[in-house]
Amino acid sequence: LDENLHYHTPVHVLAIFDFAAKNDIPIEPWEELAIWFHDSVYDIDNIHGDNERLSADFMYAMIRPYVKDAYDASAAICYTATHLSHDCPPRYAKILDLDMTGFCSDRTNHEAITECIRREYPLIDQTKFDQGRKAFLEKLISKGPIYRTEAFQKFEAAAQENVRLDLEQIK
């Protein structure tokens, strides 16, 4: 485990499963695989999409001989790089929504998640981090709803409010 990671850890993965269980969101076996492995490779210096592709490759290499649904899990992992676009097929949308559950958390938990993400970038000064975070948040809300599936529509208002408050704090 990389000691520089504070958010993209097994705790994030377990939080996803906890959220799904508490909110009666069913998870298929291939989706469970995707969740377990979606951040198995996470290097802040990788270019956009590499962590997802490498995580998918890692999972596929380990699981493929034993699990028939490994392809769907691998594809879903790759699509977790598309949070800021509309490029995700509906089949994989639930994985993206689950990956973004921190946005609909209560404000205290959401701020703690943001701080954990901040701590993953120790060599970037606060101003540069804030600029990058602001750009991400603005792109996230400009694409339309944060969540893609019907099961997550009830969480959209809370997520939008957290993003709004985040943007106010960054200004």
Side-chain angles (χ1 to χ4, degrees):
L1 187 60
D2 186 339
E3 64 188 37
N4 291 316
L5 295 181
H6 301 279
Y7 175 70
H8 295 93
T9 68
V11 173
H12 166 54
V13 171
L14 294 172
I16 290 171
F17 288 121
D18 185 58
F19 182 91
K22 285 180 179 174
N23 291 286
D24 297 319
I25 298 171
I27 298 175
E28 299 291 327
W30 68 268
E31 293 171 322
E32 188 173 332
L33 269 177
I35 293 164
W36 275 116
F37 283 91
H38 83 281
D39 284 332
S40 58
V41 176
Y42 196 86
D43 182 340
I44 64 166
D45 294 321
N46 281 347
I47 62 171
H48 179 74
D50 268 5
N51 288 327
E52 294 81 3
R53 183 185 53 78
L54 293 169
S55 292
D57 289 350
F58 174 64
M59 185 278 314
Y60 199 76
M62 289 187 61
I63 301 297
R64 176 60 188 113
Y66 312 105
V67 178
K68 69 179 179 81
D69 294 330
Y71 176 81
D72 275 325
S74 178
I77 293 167
C78 289
Y79 277 108
T80 62
T82 66
H83 286 298
L84 301 179
S85 72
H86 296 284
D87 294 338
C88 182
R91 179 160 178 74
Y92 307 120
K94 186 191 331 174
I95 301 300
L96 272 70
D97 286 355
L98 287 165
D99 191 28
M100 301 287 272
T101 59
F103 279 101
C104 67
S105 298
D106 65 83
R107 188 67 188 160
T108 301
N109 192 38
H110 175 74
E111 287 176 333
I113 289 168
T114 301
E115 179 55 29
C116 287
I117 293 168
R118 168 67 185 109
R119 292 177 60 203
E120 291 184 349
Y121 296 86
L123 301 179
I124 296 175
D125 68 40
Q126 188 66 44
T127 301
K128 188 170 182 176
F129 177 82
D130 286 348
Q131 290 170 347
R133 182 79 175 162
K134 182 179 180 182
F136 173 83
L137 294 171
E138 288 174 341
K139 286 178 187 173
L140 183 64
I141 59 171
S142 72
K143 77 165 180 64
I146 292 169
Y147 297 117
R148 299 161 189 262
T149 62
E150 188 176 318
F152 276 80
Q153 292 314 301
K154 62 186 171 187
F155 306 113
E156 185 68 29
Q160 289 283 340
E161 179 65 5
N162 274 326
V163 171
R164 184 187 69 73
L165 292 169
D166 286 351
L167 288 169
E168 280 181 10
Q169 286 179 343
I170 292 173
K171 289 181 182 179

